[in-house]
Amino acid sequence: GINAEYGDIMSSSEEEGAKPQGSDEEQKGKKRKAPAKKAAKEKAPAKKRGKKPPAKKRTKKDPNEPKRGSTAYQMFAKERRAELKEEKPELKFGEISKLISPEWKGLSKEDKKKWEDLAKKDKERYERELEEYKNKQKDDEGSDEDDDNGCLLYTSDAADDLLCVD
């Protein structure tokens, strides 16, 4: 109607898909959402803020699996950390790390070579132990297949009294 409020005209015109009425100056001041976006928002489920999805459960690591090789920096840091902790026992772990990092960056190529050679040897150790570990895993899997019949071996006297179940 003629005496209708601007909001009433907007709601009825949006339903009909018509452009809102009013002067160009009024239109510039108002921001309008497209009807398709509005409909999509109404259909989409509301997102909850602040909640993270549940973390995926990690597979448990075999404690017999060999430990990975250390990097040159890790080996350098381990040795320097012990030295610094002895000199300044009041320093915390993070503070020691802040002292070690610039030392590592400042080392010459010749000094770093010592640590890189140690890291290379450790990597070779890891690869060798990992290969042995994998071979052992394969051997263990093969032997399990033979023992899956559910029977135990007993002396011939006791075997007559037992029943095997497959």
Side-chain angles (χ1 to χ4, degrees):
I2 297 174
N3 293 332
E5 296 274 330
Y6 180 74
D8 294 337
I9 295 171
M10 286 296 292
S11 62
S12 65
S13 64
E14 282 179 354
E15 291 170 7
E16 298 169 4
K19 290 185 177 180
Q21 297 176 353
S23 69
D24 287 338
E25 291 175 60
E26 288 179 21
Q27 294 301 317
K28 288 180 186 176
K30 304 282 182 182
K31 290 186 178 180
R32 243 182 100 223
K33 293 182 181 177
K37 287 183 182 177
K38 187 175 181 182
K41 280 189 176 182
E42 290 174 3
K43 291 179 186 175
K47 292 182 182 178
K48 293 182 182 179
R49 290 189 167 193
K51 289 193 175 185
K52 293 181 181 178
K56 294 180 183 178
K57 293 188 178 184
R58 292 185 180 182
T59 57
K60 290 189 178 182
K61 187 175 178 182
D62 185 356
N64 298 325
E65 188 174 344
K67 303 291 182 215
R68 280 198 165 275
S70 297
T71 65
Y73 175 75
Q74 289 171 331
M75 292 182 156
F76 170 78
K78 184 177 180 182
E79 186 173 298
R80 278 299 289 148
R81 186 176 309 282
E83 293 169 4
L84 287 172
K85 194 68 176 170
E86 216 174 89
E87 293 171 17
K88 302 175 183 179
E90 72 278 359
L91 290 178
K92 295 180 182 175
F93 188 88
E95 294 169 339
I96 293 174
S97 297
K98 288 177 184 177
L99 295 174
I100 292 172
S101 178
E103 284 182 31
W104 174 256
K105 289 179 183 175
L107 284 181
S108 66
K109 287 187 178 184
E110 296 84 35
D111 292 337
K112 281 187 181 182
K113 183 155 178 38
K114 168 191 169 187
W115 301 106
E116 289 166 353
D117 290 342
L118 287 172
K120 187 176 179 182
K121 285 181 185 176
D122 198 35
K123 182 180 180 180
E124 290 168 358
R125 177 223 31 104
Y126 169 72
E127 289 172 350
R128 185 180 59 254
E129 288 179 5
L130 185 64
E131 190 65 34
E132 291 171 5
Y133 171 77
K134 287 181 178 180
N135 289 337
K136 187 173 187 254
Q137 292 293 93
K138 287 179 186 176
D139 292 345
D140 289 348
E141 287 175 9
S143 65
D144 287 345
E145 292 172 8
D146 298 336
D147 298 337
D148 283 343
N149 65 4
C151 295
L152 296 174
L153 298 176
Y154 289 94
T155 62
S156 61
D157 297 334
D160 297 333
D161 298 334
L162 296 174
L163 185 67
C164 275
V165 180
D166 285 329

